[in-house]
Amino acid sequence: MTDKSAVKLKEGIAYYDISPEITENTAVFPGDVAYSRRVSLDFEKGDALLLSSVESTLHLGAHVDSPGHYNRAGAGIEARNLNYYMGPCQVITVDLPRGERVYPKDISSQAIETQRVLFRTRSFPNPNSWNGDFNSLSAQLVDDLASKGVVLVGIDTPSIDPAEDKALEAHQAVYKNNLAVLEGIVLDAVPDGVYKLIALPLRLKGADASPVRAILCKE
């Protein structure tokens, strides 16, 4: 059914929606809390309105981590400067075997043009089906990007570190360099290039992450 509110728009901005749809089938890390929605009031039951609540991990679909997720001394997501999550952004495709980290040599042919860089790996192709052999980022890459002025790194997988990694070396490099992290995005339809990113977290006090509705607008 067409969203009738859309016809009221006098003008619009072309954008790519890089957020997967959230349903009960959305894959989460094994053992984490899957998304579920409970309906309290329902038109079908004679109620005057529709009212529902949700239970879920905060690391759901497209989401941003807070420093408190990967470092005991880190801040909650509500304390992050929103400028991390909006502004010029570059999409870069990397083609590596499943399970490998991305190193500086893997993008040596790419000039870093913006302060935000999103990596398309195509290694987590279905947001509704878990696979643990996705690509991730190396600490060396995070350090290299930080030295070039990058403030946010993103990836089309559930994490910038491997699924089974406990050391979280990429996350720790992010913390050391005071970067931001955007994970779980979908870049299949987005050509490599420069865009404007908008991926604002909810103001969840003390929280380790927040889901976002991430979009890319063509600059």
Side-chain angles (χ1 to χ4, degrees):
M1 182 179 294
T2 302
D3 179 358
K4 293 183 179 179
S5 65
V7 300
K8 299 178 182 178
L9 294 174
K10 300 297 185 182
E11 59 185 42
I13 299 172
Y15 62 87
Y16 290 97
D17 189 343
I18 60 171
S19 310
E21 184 178 57
I22 301 302
T23 73
E24 286 79 2
N25 296 319
T26 301
V28 300
F29 266 83
D32 207 347
V33 179
Y35 171 86
S36 62
R37 174 171 168 261
R38 185 174 68 87
V39 176
S40 302
L41 300 177
D42 194 341
F43 292 116
E44 300 302 320
K45 296 178 180 179
D47 296 313
L49 46 79
L50 180 64
L51 183 67
S52 59
S53 58
V54 299
E55 181 181 26
S56 174
T57 175
L58 295 176
H59 301 263
L60 180 72
H63 66 277
V64 295
D65 290 347
S66 77
H69 174 51
Y70 39 84
N71 191 285
R72 184 185 296 271
I77 197 64
E78 86 289 353
R80 296 295 272 168
N81 188 320
L82 293 181
N83 285 303
Y84 279 109
Y85 309 105
M86 53 185 175
C89 173
Q90 183 175 1
V91 174
I92 296 176
T93 297
V94 291
D95 187 13
L96 294 172
R98 288 277 191 95
E100 292 194 4
R101 292 185 186 263
V102 184
Y103 286 86
K105 63 180 178 58
D106 298 315
I107 62 166
S108 59
S109 63
Q110 296 279 353
I112 302 303
E113 303 178 50
T114 67
Q115 287 190 294
R116 300 161 193 84
V117 181
L118 306 183
F119 292 98
R120 184 208 335 264
T121 69
R122 301 190 180 97
S123 62
F124 195 81
N126 184 355
N128 294 330
S129 178
W130 177 264
N131 66 272
D133 60 345
F134 52 79
N135 295 120
S136 55
L137 307 184
S138 66
Q140 293 92 325
L141 178 65
V142 174
D143 287 340
D144 183 66
L145 292 173
S147 73
K148 296 174 180 176
V150 170
V151 300
L152 176 143
V153 291
I155 196 166
D156 61 346
T157 73
S159 177
I160 61 170
D161 277 301
E164 301 300 325
D165 180 37
K166 303 301 182 185
L168 300 176
E169 66 175 58
H171 282 90
Q172 295 308 322
V174 162
Y175 185 80
K176 178 182 69 175
N177 291 290
N178 197 25
L179 271 60
V181 179
L182 172 60
E183 299 167 328
I185 52 179
V186 177
L187 296 172
D188 297 347
V190 184
D192 284 13
V194 174
Y195 303 87
K196 180 180 180 180
L197 170 70
I198 303 175
L200 301 180
L202 299 176
R203 201 172 184 181
L204 303 173
K205 184 172 178 59
D208 47 288
S210 173
V212 298
R213 185 67 177 265
I215 67 170
L216 294 175
C217 304
K218 191 61 182 175
E219 286 285 85

